[in-house]
Amino acid sequence: MKIAVSACLLGHNCKYSGGNNRSQKVLDYIEGHEVIPVCPEVTGGLSTPRVPVELKNDRAVNRDGEDVTEFFQRGVKLTMEKLAGQNIDLAILQPRSPSCGCKQIYDGTFSKTLIEGKGMFAQALAETGIPMLDGDDVPEK
């Protein structure tokens, strides 16, 4: 199976804080499969660390009020181009991320309020029919 995985879940330090969201459960689940690490935010040109971003009215806005939608859109486009033609069987994505959240995202108020929705990259994956799994929902192997 070929699996695209949010790079932060693999232990890559690409999270907004400069750290990662390494998940042993995800690492165990993907063992023996072909893995393609993805981080649309870094691919789109955002730095690590960076000011946290949430989606509001279809825009990516950071906590300082700066609209960084262009970076997100570029990252989605380049990451989708990287995955094109690779016959991806599954994507395992970072929960609640403005890029990769596939079930819930933060509401854009920076109050830690969650709403149903998808991040920009997860939405692009959904539009192409690639199955997604929230990193929190990966089954025990």
Side-chain angles (χ1 to χ4, degrees):
M1 191 160 53
K2 194 178 282 192
I3 307 172
V5 181
S6 292
C8 60
L9 293 172
L10 300 173
H12 298 219
N13 291 330
C14 55
K15 186 176 170 180
Y16 77 91
S17 64
N20 64 67
N21 295 312
R22 185 181 184 279
S23 169
Q24 190 59 51
K25 188 165 75 164
V26 170
L27 292 169
D28 291 345
Y29 184 82
I30 63 176
E31 188 175 340
H33 298 288
E34 185 176 348
V35 174
I36 301 166
V38 295
C39 182
E41 294 176 25
V42 170
T43 299
L46 291 171
S47 63
T48 302
R50 59 189 166 275
V51 178
V53 172
E54 293 185 4
L55 301 181
K56 186 163 187 150
N57 301 322
D58 297 322
R59 306 298 295 175
V61 180
N62 71 22
R63 189 177 52 216
D64 294 339
E66 180 183 7
D67 188 319
V68 293
T69 304
E70 182 180 312
F71 292 99
F72 274 68
Q73 290 171 335
R74 181 183 315 122
V76 169
K77 179 181 182 290
L78 293 172
T79 304
M80 292 302 291
E81 287 173 359
K82 173 183 174 178
L83 298 179
Q86 293 207 46
N87 297 316
I88 303 298
D89 298 297
L90 177 66
I92 300 174
L93 303 177
Q94 170 58 35
R96 301 169 297 279
S97 160
S99 289
C100 295
C102 61
K103 294 187 337 184
Q104 294 180 313
I105 56 173
Y106 292 103
D107 72 351
T109 64
F110 296 93
S111 63
K112 300 187 181 184
T113 302
L114 290 168
I115 57 172
E116 287 187 27
K118 290 180 174 45
M120 289 184 171
F121 177 59
Q123 184 61 45
L125 287 174
E127 290 168 5
T128 63
I130 295 174
M132 294 174 280
L133 190 58
D134 185 292
D136 287 344
D137 296 336
V138 171
E140 299 287 338
K141 194 166 184 185

